[in-house]
Amino acid sequence: MNKIEFTDKNGTFRIHNPENYSGLYLPLAGETGLKSSITPNLGGDSKTDQNHFLLEPVSIENLHNNRNTRNFWCRIENKGSWSVCGSSAKQEAAKFTKDQDESILEAGFMWQKLTRISREYEMKAETTSFVTIDGTMEVMMTELTNTADQEQKITPVAVIPLYGRSADNIRDHRHVTSLLHRIETKTYGVEVCPVLSFDERGHQKNQTVYFVYGSTGEGEAPEKFYPTTEMFIGEGGSYLNPEAVRMDKDGVLAGTKLQGKEAAGGMRFAPVTLKPQETVTYLVLAGVSGEKQNIEKMTSAYRTKKQIEKAFEAVKKHWTDKVNVDFSTGDTNIDNYLKWICFQPVLRRIYGCSFLPYHDYGKGGRGWRDLWQDCLALLIMEPSVVRQMIVDNYGGVRMDGTNATIIGSRQGEFIADRNNITRVWMDHAFWPFVTTKLYLDQTGDLDILLEKVTYFKDLQTKRGTAHDNNWDHAYGNKQRTAGGNIYFGTILEHILLQNLCAFYDVGEHNEMRLHGADWNDALDMAWEKGESVAFTCAYAGNLKDIADCLKHMEEKTGISKIEMAEEMKCLLAEGTELYESPDRKQKLLDEYTSLCEHNVKGGMILVSTEQIRKNLVEKAEWLMQHIREKEWISAGDDMGWFNGYYDNHGNAVEYSKKDEVRMMLTGQVFAVMSKTAGEEQVKEICRSADKFLFDQKAGGYRLNTDFKEEKFDLGRMFGFAYGEKENGAVFSHMTVMYANALYQRGFIREGHKVLQTLLEAAMNFENSKMYPGLPEYFDNEGRGLYAYLTGAASWYMLTMITEVFGVKGDLGDLVIAPSLLPEQFDEKGSAGLKLEFARKKFEIIMHNPEKKDLRIEQIRRAVCDEKVVLEPEPEYGVRLRKSVIETLDPKKCHRIDVFFQE
Ligand code: G1P
């Protein structure tokens, strides 16, 4: 049984012979710049973006087959050649036999250290890999030790093939683009600068240089170079059996120039004779730079072992410090897994959804909903950057309540759809308020609601149903008024507009139209008649929460009137007659979107917040009542759930028939979270989910039952094999949101089961075959796929903090209302959480010495720094006021002890 062993409390782990498992890779990246992936054989790739790949791009299927990657060879006199990462034909053949090298991989955030020990060659190698914090280069440090009883003479040969172009060229002009290469050997390495770049942007003069440099631990340069693949692997050779190593082939000297070949950063160092147990170190750097003249200077700071060791320590500290949340649950394995989960949102901010081997879709950037949900985790870990992020992101909203879907690389940069694809994801308008609400709770910064921001404008208009032919690039991507000025509206206006437009955008069953899809991207084939009851629930919840938020604003600021665009007046229409008529709703929406089809007038109206509040609550209640009446499916045996969708034939997707059950999780999650589902209904949903969706082997609650139909009137998901991805896998993101919803409703045991089974599935290495963290989903056999880049991580972290530990903000106050179960306390009955809140550091320790099943009203006492007594609260447990928090020393960590009734 192989397993992950943690060696500290910061997620550092160790694993033996990980190369015997498929699909394992770690991310290595800088804050900007290089984004790499690395396998236990040092496979994987590296790039700065879609058009700049340093190493040849790999997807999951060729992750292990492609050996055109990092390698370090030792030509050992009288013995042959050995690769420090197992990437030789001979070592490949010895895999799974008694002759296999012993290997141990140690890894942490953004680094790995591979130790390989060969009995046959009597050598040990430790290879450390990381990317510098500024992302300019990848560093590989190899320390070779002679484990033989006699001296051994070794010729070290390092190689990193240089792909040096756009991912598009992997099969589009692969050969032609190599003709563009201008290759040069320098004192310390190989550089390639393609003359032109060929990609979707056309043919452009290129300035980007890709390089591989190397030195000994003392800073000595390599002796000879193999700057092309041809030269390195030789005729008929391969990277697993390269001629340069096999034949001890002579290379070229520094100062050699070559053209029009596949480049390779191959280099041979001076032979060295190692005494028994003697160690020698080599360093290899690989990077991308826009400034050729700077490469020498950049690399000279990483030329000796001493320099690299210092840089490595800085990298470890940098990324460990990023995760400033610590859990003590009584199980250090769980605590360490949670560290990785908390690190995942940081990774998604860097990698988007495109740049790890499973994530080979898109060309960089993140989608709209991912952008907003990643902010949730950042609000906990890096709150100071989030305010501006929220403000900037609202600039992506269009006047019709939809939004830009191509997000630029700079914050607040939105790009008009290049292909004129009119796709509206109907859930998109739901997420911004969810994030904003958490922000308001954490900070109490209600002023943000009145901050004025622009709207996005492009060719798309009327919620993706028409083109605004009066718009052109000269108009720009910001909404203008009839007078030609750029229009600004408050964030509150953006929020209202997003959620109110959704309210009217209904199909024939009076549920919100599915459009291009909702959260489930693969429900994308019911454009005409599809409806998402799931997100109708979600929006209903939002409408209520927005009303609450307005109330707080009135109370805290005294503001009782707000301004909004005059066009929006009609959106505040009310009355059951209107609500009950899908036609009238659509008509009203059409009137509104016609008013802002091109420009807005620029006139404003003042509306009382009380009127808006009442209007929102009325609408929300109508929606919830409607769903309760029309969508509930009674399945007998105290089971039941909500139908979550209508397909393109206008038929309800979910049902319970005698011999067939169709149930989906998404609809239940939002019915529970929004409180559309009553208490009894939540119980029935739980029982049904346990019966029809729960599968321990597959990691917990599945996204749906097996429809056994290629349901092309709903979405491509039904084309996927059942149990994979959006078609019924245990899809972590929705599963975690299910847990969150259950905790919110006080269903603690049920919520805990959801979180626990998911985490256990990931932690069971022999089954999940993944490094620590949450995967996007588990397949039918329980393997975790799509590591690291999933919205599930943000939600898991948030749920642990705000629901399980119950530590949350309430308009800037800190409130504590834990929902911990007895098994979540350590042997002394303590459970702890360290985090930052309002720029102050806290360690919160819950004391439950008898490990009782707790209720928040059992909190007996809570004190901060052993002196400040927290105020008791019936709903929230205890409260530490914002005014008190402001007086606390920002440099110290403040301890809050929460004691429960004996
Ligand atoms: C991914 C996407 C997310 C989408 C989900 C379901 O989820 O990133 O936007 O809603 O698939 O289609 P993730 O991998 O983030 O959990």
Side-chain angles (χ1 to χ4, degrees), residues 21 114 169 198 302 407 438 557 602 655 729 815 859 864 871-872 880:
Y21 296 85
L114 171 72
N169 304 128
F198 277 19
Y302 297 89
I407 321 284
L438 182 71
T557 65
Y655 49 73
V815 292
I859 296 182
C864 178
E871 291 171 37
L880 190 63

Side-chain angles (χ1 to χ4, degrees), residues 387 390-392 394 436 447-453 455 489-498:
R387 187 183 207 273
I390 291 178
V391 172
D392 290 339
Y394 271 107
T436 311
D447 291 347
I448 196 173
L449 293 172
L450 302 177
E451 192 101 354
K452 290 204 164 185
V453 287
Y455 285 87
T490 60
I491 286 189
L492 185 56
E493 183 189 272
H494 287 66
I495 294 172
L496 287 169
L497 195 149
Q498 289 184 298

Side-chain angles (χ1 to χ4, degrees), residues 737-767:
M737 283 198 285
Y738 180 46
N740 184 287
L742 290 171
Y743 273 103
Q744 282 198 42
R745 298 295 299 272
F747 285 74
I748 297 169
R749 278 257 163 229
E750 292 79 357
H752 175 69
K753 178 178 170 192
V754 181
L755 292 183
Q756 195 61 16
T757 47
L758 200 65
L759 196 59
E760 277 167 7
M763 289 171 62
N764 178 358
F765 178 80
E766 273 298 328
N767 220 22

Side-chain angles (χ1 to χ4, degrees), residues 348 353 359 361 369-370 373 518-522 725-726 731 733 776 789-792:
R348 195 156 77 164
C353 292
H359 292 85
Y361 39 84
R369 81 171 74 83
D370 298 343
Q373 287 175 91
D518 67 1
W519 167 86
N520 188 336
D521 283 331
K725 243 183 175 286
E726 279 95 342
F731 202 99
H733 191 189
E776 181 188 80
L789 312 182
T790 160

Side-chain angles (χ1 to χ4, degrees), residues 513-706:
R513 290 180 54 204
L514 185 57
H515 285 276
D518 67 1
W519 167 86
N520 188 336
D521 283 331
L523 286 175
D524 56 351
M525 293 166 87
W527 212 92
E528 288 92 16
K529 289 182 151 227
E531 291 168 66
S532 169
V533 185
F535 275 85
T536 309
C537 288
Y539 280 107
N542 256 6
L543 293 174
K544 270 210 166 144
D545 289 341
I546 299 167
D548 280 349
C549 175
L550 286 172
K551 186 138 188 36
H552 295 315
M553 195 171 89
E554 284 168 21
E555 287 164 3
K556 292 254 169 180
T557 65
I559 290 170
S560 61
K561 282 197 170 65
I562 54 164
E563 43 163 48
M564 57 171 82
E566 61 174 82
E567 287 84 353
M568 284 173 65
K569 192 162 180 229
C570 62
L571 297 176
L572 294 172
E574 40 188 33
T576 322
E577 225 178 295
L578 166 69
Y579 299 163
E580 288 193 339
S581 163
D583 287 346
R584 285 188 57 185
K585 280 181 174 166
Q586 275 293 351
K587 206 159 150 267
L588 190 146
L589 182 64
D590 188 59
E591 272 162 34
Y592 169 71
T593 54
S594 301
L595 289 174
C596 48
E597 192 174 356
H598 180 54
N599 284 331
V600 285
K601 285 200 183 125
M604 307 300 275
I605 50 167
L606 264 186
V607 192
S608 91
T609 45
E610 193 188 352
Q611 185 198 335
I612 303 175
R613 267 199 291 119
K614 286 196 174 138
N615 189 286
L616 298 178
V617 170
E618 191 185 283
K619 287 188 165 64
E621 276 171 0
W622 183 87
L623 282 172
M624 293 188 187
Q625 191 53 33
H626 171 78
I627 292 168
R628 280 183 212 117
E629 275 169 22
K630 306 278 187 209
E631 309 295 350
W632 182 252
I633 298 164
S634 227
D637 295 332
D638 290 332
M639 287 190 291
W641 62 91
F642 287 99
N643 166 48
Y645 294 93
Y646 286 92
D647 64 24
N648 218 23
H649 287 101
N651 294 323
V653 169
E654 292 173 60
Y655 49 73
S656 169
K657 291 185 185 158
K658 210 162 142 248
D659 44 11
E660 199 197 354
V661 164
R662 290 191 173 185
M663 179 179 178
M664 300 174 87
L665 186 61
T666 315
Q668 318 323 317
V669 169
F670 291 104
V672 175
M673 202 181 264
S674 64
K675 303 196 178 65
T676 302
E679 181 94 0
E680 283 308 311
Q681 287 177 318
V682 181
K683 289 184 191 157
E684 296 202 15
I685 287 173
C686 288
R687 278 194 284 268
S688 312
D690 279 332
K691 168 127 196 231
F692 300 117
L693 300 176
F694 187 72
D695 182 344
Q696 184 98 37
K697 185 167 165 244
Y701 292 88
R702 291 180 178 278
L703 206 44
N704 51 272
T705 53
D706 188 356

Side-chain angles (χ1 to χ4, degrees), residues 815-833:
V815 292
I816 305 175
S819 295
L820 288 155
L821 291 170
E823 57 267 38
Q824 290 172 299
F825 290 87
D826 67 14
E827 69 282 2
K828 290 196 200 108
S830 310
L833 168 67

